[in-house]
Amino acid sequence: MKLATLKDGTRDGQLAIVARDLKTAVVADGIAATLQRALDDWAFLAPQLDELSRQLNEGRARRSFDFDPQRCMAPLPRAYQWVDGSAYVNHVELVRKARKAEMPAAFWDDPLMYQGGSDDFLGPCDDIVLRHEEWGLDFEAEVAVITGDVPMGATPDQAQQQIRLLTLVNDVSLRNLMPDELAKGFGFLQSKPATSFAPVALTPDELGDAWQESKLHLPLRSAWNGKLVGQPNAGVDMVFNFAQLIAHLCKTRHARAGTIVGSGTVSNQDAKKGYSCIAEKRCLETIADGKPSMPFMGFGDTIRIDMLDADGKSLFGAIEQRVCAAS
Amino acid sequence: MKLATLKDGTRDGQLAIVARDLKTAVVADGIAATLQRALDDWAFLAPQLDELSRQLNEGRARRSFDFDPQRCMAPLPRAYQWVDGSAYVNHVELVRKARKAEMPAAFWDDPLMYQGGSDDFLGPCDDIVLRHEEWGLDFEAEVAVITGDVPMGATPDQAQQQIRLLTLVNDVSLRNLMPDELAKGFGFLQSKPATSFAPVALTPDELGDAWQESKLHLPLRSAWNGKLVGQPNAGVDMVFNFAQLIAHLCKTRHARAGTIVGSGTVSNQDAKKGYSCIAEKRCLETIADGKPSMPFMGFGDTIRIDMLDADGKSLFGAIEQRVCAAS
């Protein structure tokens, strides 16, 4: 099934079921008021949501309406946990190469992951509000999973069983604030402002064969100012799959229901697949020419992130955002 | 007023008002089911909670009962944001000195702060469950504030207006996992397991003169295995006050209601005040003797963190935890 959260003036929005073709939706608040509520009691509520989804897809749901991504908040408008991996080590290697830094060999065995802010997510069509253009705003197109409760010490196999939903992410970054924060060693704080999410989160069974070995085997398409700049396959060159990322997180602690785990910027070794963040393009330029030439995003720029199924139909709906100056 | 969250089998517990002397309490679920709910609509709900608090303190509340910290969850058993500063730069300087690393001068002007996990907090009397003793478990005694909505770009004065509550924190750390995580540059993930909180969160007016200039001017007492090892004054040597820490967080993004901001390990330059984490003691040993001799916490060890008012009465109730092996 496909789930979305509709704007209704509240902090957590209203849970809705969305039809497979993203054309219609139906409010699910008779079952669970919010997505977090559904995740908190998934075993009991998911079968009821699934039945409503079946009715909607068969055209039998009462009070269905046209689905409008503009009305969507992030599937979880605020979450109790957002952690982001760097599973496409190719991306990490390029960044390091551009600044002539050796990549530690351990990066191929031990996932890099940061704890992100999760109190204030952006919906798929919300503006990215920026105070200063010179902070170097960049998009990062990613896949993410949303989990149930995962106990401390869970193995990747156990973690995989707790993957409830998948969605797409724009992990908005402020590149020019990063060097100083990374030098402090305490991770990202100011350089990672509010993160954006696709209109829809879906259960793995919606993906058929594209979901295998805890990876999503489809191209992730990023269009910057209307121009397709990246379409790497999210199932290729993913060194750590989602089950491994979750297990890494849970080495010393539990992860509770509603934890969102990102893949990191999707990146293929095949440079013809383009890029899922401007920083990667600038790294390639630096390696080739000694310096980057592509600027970061400016006020008025747009970013569109989408993933299509084998028939060319959008799976999650698109993230479509514009960069705006803070008033 | 003083607020607590009681265990009731749910993920978010039940909001209660606690009497000023911590002897009695009354359930507040007629006003707000949970503390997060109260914070979400503070302007409307806080006056109602305040009235109930007045009734309780005057012995007029119906259905009051004996307050038992053992029944408490963390005031916010899970939160949408937990960030922790390092406002006592003395502590940071000692850590650096012990490993013979220069401390960048910017650390005196630019707060160090990390984004922590907030999906699974421990209550004041919950066991700290540890898989491996050799990970080097340490306590960190801190003060924290809980905020309302703070807009992006807020000044320290604006941030101060949004401080709703204060509480105490045990920012549990796994010291021997830190060097590898810090070397990766992405902050703490595995080395910061579940954080623990005092039984009570209170509004600043409960502190009288002890709350000044966005600092809490009272000693924070840490007793390890029954022995008092630290009593530094939280108002002394705090280089960045809470208003400044919140403003730092909000430079590039909003902070939403229920954000918890920690002070970092409380530490005074006067070494006679003792230590609020074992790591600091080990740093002093290293500076004096070339190597640390104090071990980290082992299975069965206890830690008690408390703060007394001028009359010697506990303000927040005590954090009292035991370290246990994971089964």
Side-chain angles (χ1 to χ4, degrees):
Chain A
M1 61 185 161
K2 298 190 176 189
L3 299 167
T5 295
L6 304 180
K7 294 179 184 180
D8 68 350
T10 69
R11 293 174 185 266
D12 296 303
Q14 188 173 41
L15 182 62
I17 305 276
V18 182
R20 194 155 293 137
D21 62 8
L22 306 183
K23 290 196 172 138
T24 56
V26 62
V27 164
D29 60 358
I31 300 166
T34 66
L35 181 53
Q36 182 63 51
R37 207 72 76 78
L39 290 160
D40 282 349
D41 197 10
W42 190 255
F44 181 68
L45 296 173
Q48 300 174 48
L49 294 169
D50 211 43
E51 172 56 28
L52 184 55
S53 166
R54 198 167 301 123
Q55 291 171 14
L56 180 67
N57 281 314
E58 291 169 1
R60 296 188 291 113
R62 289 184 198 181
R63 299 197 198 87
S64 69
F65 49 87
D66 289 349
F67 177 63
D68 177 7
Q70 295 273 355
R71 278 191 59 202
C72 286
M73 304 173 85
L76 288 170
R78 50 182 180 173
Y80 296 108
Q81 177 154 253
W82 156 234
V83 291
D84 197 15
S86 293
Y88 301 86
V89 180
N90 177 56
H91 168 78
V92 181
E93 201 171 33
L94 276 176
V95 172
R96 293 261 170 173
K97 205 167 164 188
R99 58 172 148 116
K100 297 191 166 68
E102 279 288 304
M103 192 177 77
F107 279 27
W108 292 99
D109 306 307
D110 184 35
L112 199 58
M113 189 179 274
Y114 77 88
Q115 191 94 40
S118 55
D119 61 318
D120 186 41
F121 290 145
L122 297 180
C125 305
D126 291 346
D127 289 338
I128 301 170
V129 178
L130 177 65
R131 289 178 62 210
H132 299 291
E133 217 171 15
E134 60 267 29
W135 285 346
L137 189 115
D138 198 358
F139 62 92
E140 286 193 14
E142 309 190 1
V143 177
V145 298
I146 304 175
T147 77
D149 290 312
V150 189
M152 178 164 58
T155 64
D157 280 351
Q158 291 165 334
Q160 160 118 25
Q161 300 304 315
Q162 296 303 317
I163 295 176
R164 300 286 183 238
L165 298 165
L166 287 101
T167 190
L168 304 182
V169 175
N170 179 12
D171 181 37
V172 179
S173 297
L174 299 172
R175 296 294 179 193
N176 295 336
L177 299 185
M178 279 189 184
D180 284 353
E181 285 206 322
L182 288 178
K184 287 181 181 179
F186 271 32
F188 306 110
L189 192 91
Q190 297 176 334
S191 51
K192 292 281 186 183
T195 308
S196 322
F197 288 81
V200 159
L202 50 74
T203 47
D205 61 294
E206 292 286 335
L207 297 167
D209 289 347
W211 176 245
Q212 274 185 40
E213 292 173 351
S214 231
K215 298 179 190 180
L216 208 177
H217 297 263
L218 285 171
L220 182 63
R221 299 161 57 90
S222 297
W224 177 19
N225 291 334
K227 187 188 159 205
L228 185 71
V229 296
Q231 46 184 327
N233 190 306
V236 173
D237 299 325
M238 189 185 198
V239 175
F240 307 102
N241 66 21
F242 282 108
Q244 290 169 308
L245 293 177
I246 300 167
H248 179 78
L249 170 66
C250 292
K251 178 174 165 179
T252 62
R253 51 175 159 128
H254 309 300
R256 292 297 182 189
T259 288
I260 309 172
V261 180
S263 63
T265 308
V266 176
S267 173
N268 288 169
Q269 299 212 22
D270 177 2
K272 289 199 299 292
K273 298 295 184 183
Y275 53 90
S276 303
C277 70
I278 301 168
E280 186 165 316
K281 173 68 174 166
R282 287 166 57 94
C283 287
L284 291 167
E285 290 169 343
T286 302
I287 293 163
D289 313 326
K291 63 179 176 54
S293 50
M294 187 73 77
F296 289 116
M297 294 181 86
F299 294 135
D301 275 20
T302 62
I303 177 65
R304 188 179 202 280
I305 297 168
D306 201 3
M307 182 176 270
L308 310 180
D309 67 13
D311 298 328
K313 294 199 172 114
S314 179
L315 278 164
F316 301 90
I319 295 173
E320 286 199 270
Q321 298 186 280
R322 182 178 297 272
V323 180
C324 293
S327 54
Chain B
M1 60 186 161
K2 299 191 175 188
L3 300 166
T5 295
L6 304 180
K7 294 179 183 180
D8 69 349
T10 68
R11 293 175 185 267
D12 296 303
Q14 189 173 39
L15 182 62
I17 306 277
V18 181
R20 193 155 294 137
D21 63 7
L22 305 183
K23 290 198 172 135
T24 56
V26 61
V27 164
D29 61 357
I31 300 166
T34 66
L35 181 54
Q36 182 64 50
R37 207 71 76 80
L39 290 160
D40 283 349
D41 197 8
W42 190 255
F44 182 68
L45 297 173
Q48 299 174 50
L49 294 169
D50 212 41
E51 173 55 28
L52 184 55
S53 167
R54 198 167 301 127
Q55 291 171 14
L56 180 66
N57 281 312
E58 292 169 0
R60 297 187 291 113
R62 289 183 199 183
R63 299 198 198 87
S64 69
F65 49 88
D66 289 349
F67 176 63
D68 178 6
Q70 296 273 353
R71 277 191 58 201
C72 286
M73 306 174 81
L76 288 170
R78 50 182 180 173
Y80 295 109
Q81 178 153 253
W82 155 236
V83 291
D84 197 15
S86 294
Y88 302 86
V89 179
N90 178 56
H91 168 78
V92 181
E93 202 171 31
L94 277 177
V95 172
R96 292 261 170 172
K97 206 167 165 188
R99 57 172 149 115
K100 298 192 167 69
E102 279 289 304
M103 192 178 77
F107 278 28
W108 292 100
D109 306 309
D110 184 37
L112 200 59
M113 189 179 272
Y114 78 87
Q115 191 94 40
S118 55
D119 61 318
D120 186 41
F121 290 144
L122 297 180
C125 306
D126 291 346
D127 289 338
I128 301 171
V129 178
L130 176 66
R131 289 178 63 211
H132 300 291
E133 219 172 14
E134 61 267 29
W135 285 346
L137 189 113
D138 197 359
F139 61 92
E140 286 193 13
E142 308 190 1
V143 177
V145 298
I146 304 176
T147 77
D149 290 312
V150 189
M152 176 164 60
T155 64
D157 280 351
Q158 291 166 335
Q160 160 118 23
Q161 300 304 316
Q162 297 303 317
I163 296 175
R164 301 286 184 239
L165 298 165
L166 287 101
T167 189
L168 304 182
V169 175
N170 179 11
D171 182 38
V172 180
S173 297
L174 300 172
R175 298 291 180 194
N176 295 336
L177 300 185
M178 279 190 184
D180 284 353
E181 285 206 322
L182 287 177
K184 288 180 178 180
F186 272 31
F188 306 111
L189 192 90
Q190 296 175 334
S191 51
K192 291 281 186 183
T195 308
S196 323
F197 289 81
V200 159
L202 49 75
T203 48
D205 61 293
E206 293 286 336
L207 297 168
D209 288 347
W211 176 243
Q212 276 186 39
E213 292 174 350
S214 234
K215 298 179 189 179
L216 208 177
H217 297 265
L218 286 171
L220 182 63
R221 299 161 57 89
S222 297
W224 176 19
N225 290 335
K227 188 189 159 208
L228 185 71
V229 296
Q231 46 184 329
N233 190 305
V236 173
D237 299 326
M238 189 187 197
V239 175
F240 308 102
N241 67 20
F242 282 109
Q244 290 170 310
L245 293 177
I246 299 166
H248 179 78
L249 170 66
C250 291
K251 178 175 166 179
T252 63
R253 51 175 159 129
H254 309 300
R256 293 297 183 187
T259 288
I260 308 172
V261 180
S263 64
T265 308
V266 176
S267 173
N268 288 169
Q269 299 212 20
D270 176 2
K272 289 198 299 293
K273 299 295 184 184
Y275 52 90
S276 303
C277 69
I278 302 168
E280 187 165 314
K281 173 69 174 164
R282 287 167 55 96
C283 286
L284 290 167
E285 290 170 342
T286 302
I287 293 164
D289 314 325
K291 64 179 177 51
S293 51
M294 186 74 77
F296 289 116
M297 295 181 84
F299 294 135
D301 275 19
T302 61
I303 176 66
R304 186 178 203 279
I305 297 169
D306 201 1
M307 182 175 273
L308 309 180
D309 66 14
D311 300 327
K313 292 197 174 119
S314 179
L315 278 164
F316 301 91
I319 296 173
E320 288 200 87
Q321 299 186 278
R322 182 178 296 273
V323 179
C324 293
S327 56

